[in-house]
Amino acid sequence: MLELQNISFGVDTDAGKLEIIDDVSLTVADGSFTVITGPNGGGKSTLAKLIMGIEKPTSGKIIYNGEDITPLSVTERAKKGIGYAFQQPPRFKGLTVRRLLSLAAGATLPEDECCSYLTGVGLCSKDYLNREMDASLSGGEAKRIEIATLMARNLGLAIFDEPEAGIDLWSFSMLVKSFRAMSSGRHNSVLVISHQERIMDLADNMIVIADGRLKNQGTKEEVLPTLMGEFNQECDFRGKENADGKA
Amino acid sequence: MEKLDSLLLQEIAGMHDIPMGAYNIRKNGEGLSRRSTANIEIRPKTDKPGIDIIVAPGTVNESVHIPVIITQTGIDDLVYNDFYIGDGADVLIVAGCGIHNSGDSKSQHDGIHTFHIGKNAHVKYVEKHYGEGDGLGERILNPVTAVEQGENSVCEMEMVQIKGVDSTKRDTKASLAAGAKLIVTERLLTHGKQEALSNIEVRLNGADSSAQIISRTVAKDSSKQVFYYNAVGNDKCRAHVQCDSIIMDNATVSSIPGITANSAYAQIIHEAAIGRINNDQLVKLMTFGLTEEEAEEIIISGFLK
């Protein structure tokens, strides 16, 4: 189980201290599929980075399986079974997709196993195994390979930051299928930052983050209906359109 | 063969034993052993140190190994090797130099290589430089390579220096006739106070000739690297020069491009980039459970592969 206790994260700017995450407490139960959603710039990615250890909170505690992991490094958290798929995956000159998957798995993977992970994210494996994870890959391709690196691991908690971004409509169904399999498969808990209804549909726990704060948490039946109403009001142009009587 | 000799040979030429095909092994400034084959003749020069390697026209799927090893301190070895590759031949040439210097005097090897590549011939040339030994004596390698490519010939040159060479100054010149193709891959890692200078000049003289120069280097500690790459297009041709360097610690890297077109039909591109290892790359590999040092090692070895 993952528990965030009063997590805050701020940065110093010219205009003073900016709170990106403000006193967020939440729990992610074992075996759950949790979707974090909310407006852009609300602090979702920062929250994911805090859980992975890429950023350190200014205050608060992160408890994972009963242990305070707040002081632990990225490497130590990874060894405890936490994994993170970047929203914008870094590129590596000279590192093949096959090697990257093997590094993720922590052992040299047989070809058929690599292929099955790539197929799972909608890539034709024979075209990609020996390709380098460099700038020659399109954004969508790199993104799918990034997701595959998490599939190659046995994780207690798998975090995906907007896995759907840059993925074409045709591959999206395949991806949803893979996430569905994941939620009942090898990873114990899955935490996905997403704006996609079809991914939210998989959730048994939903968290809404806006302005760095926890706005809502509950089942999708409880949270989904409140989403549209809440953010309509924050959306200026939509308000104006409605006032003009246009659709 | 002594143990140290075979370790050095393995490092630079991947040789576990006496190689198949033609070979010439040079040790501490003298020829150690040599073999010619029916199609590849290795002949010692009579006027100066070095050998002539003559590959008969039409020779295919054969290889020549010409490694040089230096195990004594204070050796200053200058050698001239001339390659004559017959028309239509297809050969692999494995060169390279390994220096083990455990003394306090400098050990130096300067290999002056000239390639005369015939029409339609295909040469793959692999050269590895390696240094070791705990003495104070410097390990210096200053290779000079001149390549003359005949019509429609292909020359692939792979030059690698990963470890232990204190100072290197490399001069490479190539001229290409019509339809000839040159691919140069240079990989270099410097550390400590090492210095490396590499000059490459390619003259594309014939129509439809092409050249590709790919350089990937890593400069660590207080080491210094300087690259002057110059591509000159004298006819309808294509050339692409690509230099990528990872810089670390207190190292310095200069990459100085030179491209010249003397024909309106020459297409020449130079790309160069110098930068640190990206933090996201390190973090990504750390999310797999690797330490920062392990991640750095994987990024560098992948980059230099």
Side-chain angles (χ1 to χ4, degrees), chain A residues 54 74-75 78-79 84 86 90-94 99-100 103-104 146 149 153, chain B residues 216 244 280-281 283-292 298-299 302-303 305:
Chain A
I54 298 168
V74 174
T75 308
K79 283 184 174 159
Y84 174 70
F86 283 54
R91 310 302 178 96
F92 298 89
K93 276 184 184 164
R99 173 105 170 99
L100 199 68
L103 285 168
E146 176 75 1
T149 63
R153 301 185 63 199
Chain B
R216 292 238 177 123
D244 260 317
D280 270 3
Q281 292 177 324
V283 171
K284 176 68 215 170
L285 296 183
M286 284 156 71
T287 67
F288 293 159
L290 299 164
T291 64
E292 188 170 343
I298 284 164
I299 293 166
F303 182 74
K305 193 183 62 192

Side-chain angles (χ1 to χ4, degrees), chain B residues 211-257:
Chain B
Q212 191 178 11
I213 301 169
I214 303 157
S215 159
R216 292 238 177 123
T217 77
V218 176
K220 288 185 175 182
D221 305 325
S222 305
S223 63
K224 194 176 168 187
Q225 300 181 354
V226 183
F227 305 99
Y228 290 95
Y229 291 164
N230 191 8
V232 182
N234 292 325
D235 203 326
K236 181 186 170 219
C237 63
R238 280 179 298 119
H240 191 168
V241 184
Q242 195 187 342
C243 309
D244 260 317
S245 301
I246 292 180
I247 185 166
M248 300 166 77
D249 313 311
N250 300 309
T252 61
V253 180
S254 298
S255 192
I256 300 138

